Amino acid sequence: MFGKTKRGDFLFYLRKLSLKDDSYHSLLNEVEQMRTEFMKELLIQKGMQPEKAFQRSWMLYHYYLGWYERHKQETLSDEAIQQHIHMIWTEWISN
């Protein structure tokens, strides 16, 4: 999620198109469901209960959307990204 690919704008454009065309809306829903399901499964593999994993993956995905929009013009170091991931893990996931 927090990589340096600079490709996150694709979903923002897709979201805008989905307001005008139902086929884009369906595609957007599918992509977002795949992303949250992937995160949910990772959390379950780490020992989290499925319902809690679903809630956390939903929250993390929506957090990411805002985080990406705010930081997309920056070049973050690997260290800064790792610090951010550590904060998410310790504050939201591991407790």
Side-chain angles (χ1 to χ4, degrees), residues 4 76-86:
K4 299 179 187 181
L76 297 172
S77 67
D78 287 337
E79 182 181 352
I81 291 170
Q82 289 303 314
Q83 288 172 345
H84 187 73
I85 292 169
H86 177 74

Side-chain angles (χ1 to χ4, degrees), residues 2 9 24 30 33 37 39 45 54 62 72-73 76:
F2 300 101
D9 281 345
Y24 289 113
E30 184 179 334
Q33 185 172 351
E37 185 66 26
M39 176 57 77
Q45 287 177 20
F54 169 77
H62 287 85
K72 68 182 179 181
Q73 302 302 324
L76 297 172

Side-chain angles (χ1 to χ4, degrees), residues 79-95:
E79 182 181 352
I81 291 170
Q82 289 303 314
Q83 288 172 345
H84 187 73
I85 292 169
H86 177 74
M87 185 268 312
I88 290 171
W89 180 259
T90 59
E91 297 298 323
W92 290 355
I93 296 175
S94 67
N95 54 23

Side-chain angles (χ1 to χ4, degrees), residues 10-19 28 32 61 65:
F10 171 75
L11 282 180
F12 289 92
Y13 295 122
L14 185 58
R15 187 168 281 105
K16 190 172 184 175
L17 288 170
S18 76
L19 296 172
L28 175 66
E32 290 190 327
Y61 184 69
L65 292 174

Side-chain angles (χ1 to χ4, degrees), residues 54-79:
F54 169 77
Q55 292 167 348
R56 294 289 167 92
S57 67
W58 186 90
M59 180 190 66
L60 282 169
Y61 184 69
H62 287 85
Y63 174 83
Y64 161 73
L65 292 174
W67 183 88
Y68 175 80
E69 184 62 25
R70 185 154 193 267
H71 296 283
K72 68 182 179 181
Q73 302 302 324
E74 300 175 28
T75 301
L76 297 172
S77 67
D78 287 337
E79 182 181 352

